[in-house]
Amino acid sequence: GRIYFENNLDNNSTTLSSGGYLIDYRLSSDGNYIYTIESNPSNYYKIPKYNTTNFTIDSFITIGERSPKNLFVDNNNYFIVDYNSYATQKQVFLSVY
């Protein structure tokens, strides 16, 4: 979750975090946003949308998956691949937000 700045020697990095743990991320096709899956100590997950100009959160949504691992972004749609690794038969879920 650390972003390093190429031309800033004094403060050469920042951390993407809204108080949670970074699980996955995607960069928008135009490079203007970074989307992440984050969890927090209360065990809920969210997808913050970071503006790459100043790395602040423009918006976020809360998601209800058990263990989201894979984030895909297409326009304004978020696709989450979730799975239950403890099930005897493997179960894979796709959620769209």
Side-chain angles (χ1 to χ4, degrees):
R2 183 159 295 283
I3 304 294
Y4 291 94
F5 303 111
E6 180 180 50
N7 297 321
N8 187 338
L9 299 177
D10 296 327
N11 186 10
N12 66 353
S13 69
T14 189
T15 301
L16 290 182
S17 177
S18 59
Y21 302 101
L22 181 68
I23 296 170
D24 196 12
Y25 70 94
R26 290 292 177 263
L27 185 63
S28 66
S29 60
D30 60 9
N32 292 329
Y33 297 100
I34 297 174
Y35 303 89
T36 65
I37 297 177
E38 295 181 17
S39 70
N40 74 6
S42 299
N43 291 323
Y44 74 86
Y45 297 92
K46 60 186 170 183
I47 301 174
K49 177 182 177 182
Y50 290 91
N51 185 316
T52 57
T53 304
N54 55 14
F55 298 103
T56 58
I57 297 173
D58 280 2
S59 62
F60 75 90
I61 62 169
T62 302
I63 58 177
E65 279 68 27
R66 290 178 49 135
S67 58
K69 301 276 189 275
N70 299 290
L71 172 64
F72 302 92
V73 179
D74 182 29
N75 295 322
N76 291 325
N77 295 313
Y78 305 131
F79 299 89
I80 303 289
V81 176
D82 188 19
Y83 57 90
N84 182 352
S85 60
Y86 299 108
T88 53
Q89 280 190 327
K90 298 302 176 202
Q91 300 170 336
V92 178
F93 307 97
L94 174 66
S95 299
V96 180
Y97 292 92

